Amino acid sequence: MQIALTITMMIAIGAIIGGFTNYLAIKMLFRPYKTLYIGKWRVPFTPGLIPKRQDELAEQMGKVVTRHLLTPEGIKKKFLNETFQREMTGFVQREMENFICSEKTPAELLETLGLTDIHVKAEVRINEMIDKKYERIMEKYRHQSLRMIIPENMIEKVDAKLPVISEFIIQKGVDYFSSYEGNRRIQKMADDFLKERSGVLGNMMQMFMGNMNIADKIQPEIIKFLKNEGTAEMITALLKKEWNNVLEWEAEKIENQFKKDDILTMIKNNVRKLLNLEQVLQTPLSTLTASFRTEIVETVANNGVQFFMEWLSNRIDNLMERLRLQEIVRQQVETFSLEQLEEMVMTIINKELKMITFLGALLGGIIGLFQGILAILMN
C-alpha cells in the first residue's frame, strides 16, 4: 500500500510540475507585457518573449507574407484561373446590369462626384477645342488651294455628280416654267420688256401680237430650250468650269468670304445639336443603354474582365512593389496592442498550446512514475 501511494504521489507531482512548467513557458511568451522592476533590479525574463521582440516579429511576418503567402506568382495564377475569371465575370455582369438599368441620369451620378453643370462646362471645353482645331487646320492649309486640301476621291465624286446636278436644275426649270406661276412670271417679264422699249419698236410688236398672250408663245420655247440635249451639256460645262474655279481658291478666300466667326459659330452649333449633351445628361441610364444593354452586359463585361485580369497579372510584380505589402504588414503588426497580438496568436494555436500543456503533464507523470519505481528499488 505504501509503495502504491509513493508511486501515485510521484506521478502526481511530476505531472503537476511538467504541466505547470509548460503552461508557464507558454504564458511567458506574452506575459508580462512590460519590464518589471524590484527597485532598480530588473526581473529576469520580463517582458515576455513576443513583447520584447514585437518589432522583429512584425518584420519577419512581413517577409513571410510577401515571400511565401502573397507572392506575385500566386496572385498571377489566381487571376488567370478560369474558374476565378468566370466568377468575376458573373459578378461584374450583375453589377453592370444593375448600374445601367438605374433610373438615375448621368447628371445625377456626376453630381455625387461633386460635378455640376457638366453640359455647360463640356460645351465650353468643346468650343475651345473647336477653336484650337480650326486654328491648327487653317495655319496648315490657309494658303493652299482647295484642290490640294479636298481628297481626290471626293473631287472625283463631285465631278461625277455634275451631270446629275445639271439634270436636276433643268427639271426644276421645266417644272417651274410649266406651272401657272412660271407662266405669269414670263408674262410679267415680257410686259416689263415692252414698257422699257416704248416707241416705234414697242408699238410695232404690240400691233403684230395683237391680243395674243405673249407668255403663251414664249413658254413652250423656254421649255423646249431646257429639254434640249445641248442645254444640259452647256449647264454641265458651266458647273464644271465654276467648280474648277472654286477648287483653285485658297482656303483663306473661303474664310474671308464666309467670315471666320460665322464659320466657327456654324460648326459649334452643328456640334452642339449633334451631341445634345443637356438632353443626354438628363436621360436615365436605363433609357440611354436600352438598345445595347445586352451587348454591354455580355460582351463588354466578359472582354473587360479578361483584359483587366491579363493586364493586372502582367503588372502584378510592379504593383506589389509599389504597394509595399511587407511594409504594410510590418506597420500593422507593430500597431497591434499586445493584448490583440496575444488574442490573435492564441486564437490560431490555442488547441496546440493546450496539447503542449497536457503533454508536459503526461511526460512529468511518466518521469514521476520512473522516479517512484527507482526510489522504491533503491530503498
Side-chain angles (χ1 to χ4, degrees):
M1 185 65 182
Q2 184 66 31
I3 295 174
L5 182 61
T6 301
I7 292 175
T8 302
M9 290 292 295
M10 294 294 286
I11 292 174
I13 293 172
I16 292 171
I17 293 173
F20 178 75
T21 302
N22 282 9
Y23 174 80
L24 183 61
I26 292 170
K27 285 297 180 181
M28 288 178 67
L29 290 173
F30 296 95
R31 307 293 180 89
Y33 296 141
K34 297 180 180 180
T35 304
L36 301 180
Y37 290 91
I38 300 176
K40 294 183 179 180
W41 180 68
R42 184 176 71 86
V43 178
F45 306 110
T46 62
L49 179 62
I50 291 179
K52 187 176 182 179
R53 297 190 176 184
Q54 185 174 4
D55 293 341
E56 183 180 346
L57 175 65
E59 184 176 350
Q60 291 301 320
M61 286 186 68
K63 291 180 180 179
V64 170
V65 169
T66 55
R67 293 179 183 178
H68 303 288
L69 300 179
L70 293 177
T71 62
E73 294 76 16
I75 296 175
K76 186 183 297 185
K77 185 177 180 180
K78 183 65 175 179
F79 283 159
L80 297 178
N81 182 272
E82 292 184 1
T83 302
F84 177 73
Q85 288 191 359
R86 283 197 300 269
E87 292 175 355
M88 287 302 299
T89 299
F91 171 77
V92 171
Q93 286 177 337
R94 289 190 298 272
E95 292 299 316
M96 188 174 288
E97 186 168 10
N98 292 334
F99 178 76
I100 63 179
C101 289
S102 171
E103 291 303 313
K104 289 187 176 181
T105 64
E108 291 173 340
L109 294 174
L110 291 170
E111 284 180 5
T112 61
L113 301 176
L115 303 174
T116 58
D117 298 327
I118 293 300
H119 71 281
V120 176
K121 296 175 183 176
E123 286 182 1
V124 171
R125 294 299 300 273
I126 291 171
N127 289 340
E128 291 175 353
M129 291 173 58
I130 292 173
D131 289 335
K132 292 178 182 179
K133 189 69 174 179
Y134 176 85
E135 286 300 326
R136 285 199 296 268
I137 292 174
M138 290 306 296
E139 284 177 7
K140 183 177 181 180
Y141 297 110
R142 182 170 276 117
H143 299 294
Q144 293 188 26
S145 66
L146 295 181
R147 190 182 297 278
M148 301 297 295
I149 300 173
I150 300 175
E152 186 176 349
N153 62 337
M154 186 176 293
I155 294 176
E156 292 175 354
K157 288 180 180 180
V158 174
D159 288 337
K161 288 293 183 180
L162 290 178
V164 179
I165 297 172
S166 176
E167 292 179 4
F168 177 79
I169 293 173
I170 291 173
Q171 186 59 48
K172 287 297 180 182
V174 171
D175 294 341
Y176 177 76
F177 286 111
S178 298
S179 66
Y180 174 78
E181 183 182 354
N183 183 277
R184 300 305 300 167
R185 172 61 63 178
I186 294 171
Q187 184 64 48
K188 186 176 184 305
M189 291 172 64
D191 292 341
D192 292 342
F193 176 80
L194 292 175
K195 286 179 181 179
E196 291 174 359
R197 286 159 180 77
S198 58
V200 178
L201 179 60
N203 293 332
M204 288 180 62
M205 290 184 67
Q206 286 182 347
M207 290 175 59
F208 178 77
M209 298 299 296
N211 295 326
M212 185 179 297
N213 190 337
I214 297 177
D216 291 340
K217 289 292 185 179
I218 299 176
Q219 187 180 39
E221 296 303 321
I222 293 176
I223 294 173
K224 182 179 179 182
F225 170 77
L226 291 174
K227 290 184 176 181
N228 189 282
E229 293 182 1
T231 302
E233 294 175 359
M234 179 188 69
I235 294 177
T236 301
L238 289 172
L239 290 174
K240 188 171 183 62
K241 180 180 179 181
E242 292 304 317
W243 170 238
N244 288 328
N245 290 336
V246 170
L247 289 176
E248 298 305 321
W249 288 4
E250 291 185 350
E252 186 178 24
K253 185 173 182 180
I254 299 292
E255 186 179 44
N256 294 333
Q257 287 280 347
F258 295 98
K259 296 183 181 179
K260 175 183 174 180
D261 292 340
D262 293 341
I263 294 173
L264 285 171
T265 300
M266 179 191 67
I267 295 173
K268 292 173 183 177
N269 289 338
N270 288 330
V271 170
R272 184 169 60 252
K273 290 178 182 178
L274 180 64
L275 297 178
N276 199 6
L277 287 177
E278 185 173 5
Q279 181 178 351
V280 170
L281 290 171
Q282 296 300 329
T283 303
L285 287 175
S286 57
T287 303
L288 288 175
T289 60
S291 59
F292 48 91
R293 186 177 303 159
T294 302
E295 184 177 356
I296 292 177
V297 172
E298 295 182 1
T299 306
V300 176
N302 184 51
N303 294 339
V305 168
Q306 290 184 356
F307 171 80
F308 179 73
M309 291 301 176
E310 292 177 3
W311 178 88
L312 195 58
S313 63
N314 291 332
R315 291 163 177 79
I316 193 64
D317 294 338
N318 187 36
L319 182 62
M320 291 187 67
E321 182 179 349
R322 291 178 180 274
L323 286 174
R324 298 180 180 178
L325 289 179
Q326 181 175 334
E327 185 71 14
I328 293 174
V329 173
R330 184 185 65 79
Q331 290 177 352
Q332 286 295 106
V333 175
E334 285 180 347
T335 58
F336 283 167
S337 67
L338 294 173
E339 291 84 353
Q340 286 179 311
L341 192 59
E342 180 181 9
E343 182 181 357
M344 181 180 68
V345 174
M346 294 299 291
T347 301
I348 297 172
I349 59 174
N350 187 43
K351 291 182 179 179
E352 287 74 12
L353 293 179
K354 286 183 178 179
M355 289 301 299
I356 291 173
T357 302
F358 293 147
L359 181 61
L362 177 62
L363 291 176
I366 293 173
I367 293 172
L369 173 64
F370 282 107
Q371 286 179 335
I373 296 173
L374 185 61
I376 292 171
L377 292 176
M378 289 180 66
N379 289 330

